[in-house]
Amino acid sequence: EPEVTQTPSHQVTQMGQEVILRCVPISNHLYFYWYRQILGQKVEFLVSFYNNEISEKSEIFDDQFSVERPDGSNFTLKIRSTKLEDSAMYFCASSERGVYSPLHFGNGTRLTVT
Amino acid sequence: DQQVKQNSPSLSVQEGRISILNCDYTNSMFDYFLWYKKYPAEGPTFLISISSIKDKNEDGRFTVFLNKSAKHLSLHIVPSQPGDSAVYFCAARDDSGGGADGLTFGKGTHLIIQP
């Protein structure tokens, strides 16, 4: 069964550094998402992406965050200058038809900011 | 601001019995609901969904019930199996924005199936 893959599985970075989290969505899916889960808290929506542009973003997704689909397969999340509170599990997801089709999640990247 | 609430952090059920996981929501614009299962060190795995125009959807051992007037949904697992031990998340989508709207998740319920 096709799956969403994320790399790396664990990223450690120093405060103020830039990080890029990478995702390969399921190939025939058109809608792409980033979510995060801070330890002990719920999964939170960050951003959705369709047709090469952001469709929706949450309050969390401020100017420090950006997303890109640099080629036909990858979908990236960049955090420009990481803060301690950015430490979390970041999940990429994709869906075939957006609103009424389920999201399929990758296994996540654990980001640790020191 | 908890728009999706799962009030039971954990639930223990004997193998073979029925597991019932509950979820309440406050946003009347939610019109599509999903249940996800999550194992440690893995991403959420989609289980079953229901549109607000229905009150029940069934897929094998999993059934989701939706009571719109009560803003309540539940996931029934029958019979419960050891592999069902995981954290279960209720999620909902707000139709008001259209397009690729993000999901709002509950905090999850840790289901433990006892042998």
Side-chain angles (χ1 to χ4, degrees):
Chain A
E1 184 176 324
E3 57 181 27
V4 176
T5 57
Q6 290 186 244
T7 55
S9 56
H10 191 190
Q11 174 90 47
V12 181
T13 189
Q14 286 192 324
M15 197 166 53
Q17 295 295 305
E18 174 183 288
V19 293
I20 297 177
L21 309 183
R22 301 179 192 280
C23 169
V24 179
I26 295 173
S27 61
N28 65 331
H29 285 188
L30 303 177
Y31 297 82
F32 314 115
Y33 308 82
W34 284 100
Y35 286 77
R36 78 171 185 191
Q37 186 179 28
I38 295 172
L39 188 64
Q41 298 187 25
K42 59 182 179 178
V43 178
E44 299 173 292
F45 168 71
L46 292 178
V47 66
S48 59
F49 190 88
Y50 170 71
N51 201 24
N52 283 319
E53 61 183 21
I54 290 174
S55 305
E56 186 191 10
K57 58 184 180 180
S58 71
E59 293 172 352
I60 304 167
F61 195 88
D62 61 22
D63 292 344
Q64 293 298 315
F65 291 88
S66 62
V67 289
E68 197 177 33
R69 188 154 162 83
D71 52 42
S73 60
N74 289 285
F75 180 52
T76 62
L77 174 70
K78 183 194 291 186
I79 309 174
R80 234 177 302 280
S81 176
T82 49
K83 303 188 282 279
L84 294 175
E85 54 264 38
D86 293 327
S87 295
M89 198 75 174
Y90 287 81
F91 293 106
C92 174
S94 67
S95 74
E96 192 174 357
R97 301 186 310 274
V99 177
Y100 295 113
S101 61
L103 273 63
H104 297 265
F105 286 83
N107 283 335
T109 293
R110 178 167 298 285
L111 177 65
T112 303
V113 182
T114 61
Chain B
D1 175 23
Q2 276 197 75
Q3 295 188 65
V4 177
K5 300 178 191 177
Q6 294 177 257
N7 291 320
S8 299
S10 66
L11 175 68
S12 186
V13 174
Q14 210 166 10
E15 182 180 355
R17 307 292 288 266
I18 182 171
S19 295
I20 300 176
L21 298 119
N22 293 303
C23 177
D24 297 291
Y25 63 95
T26 57
N27 185 345
S28 57
M29 297 305 296
F30 286 150
D31 74 336
Y32 183 58
F33 304 89
L34 308 92
W35 283 95
Y36 283 85
K37 177 169 81 171
K38 187 180 182 302
Y39 295 119
E42 293 186 12
T45 301
F46 170 71
L47 277 177
I48 192 168
S49 63
I50 188 166
S51 163
S52 60
I53 61 173
K54 294 187 174 182
D55 55 18
K56 178 182 173 182
N57 189 25
E58 194 171 348
D59 184 1
R61 295 187 299 115
F62 302 93
T63 303
V64 55
F65 295 91
L66 175 62
N67 183 334
K68 277 190 71 178
S69 60
K71 293 191 175 70
H72 176 83
L73 65 156
S74 60
L75 174 68
H76 292 210
I77 306 173
V78 184
S80 301
Q81 298 173 354
D84 296 331
S85 294
V87 177
Y88 288 77
F89 292 98
C90 171
R93 177 169 276 152
D94 181 339
D95 183 43
S96 57
D101 295 322
L103 296 174
T104 300
F105 279 82
K107 287 189 174 181
T109 296
H110 186 191
L111 176 64
I112 302 160
I113 305 301
Q114 306 277 10

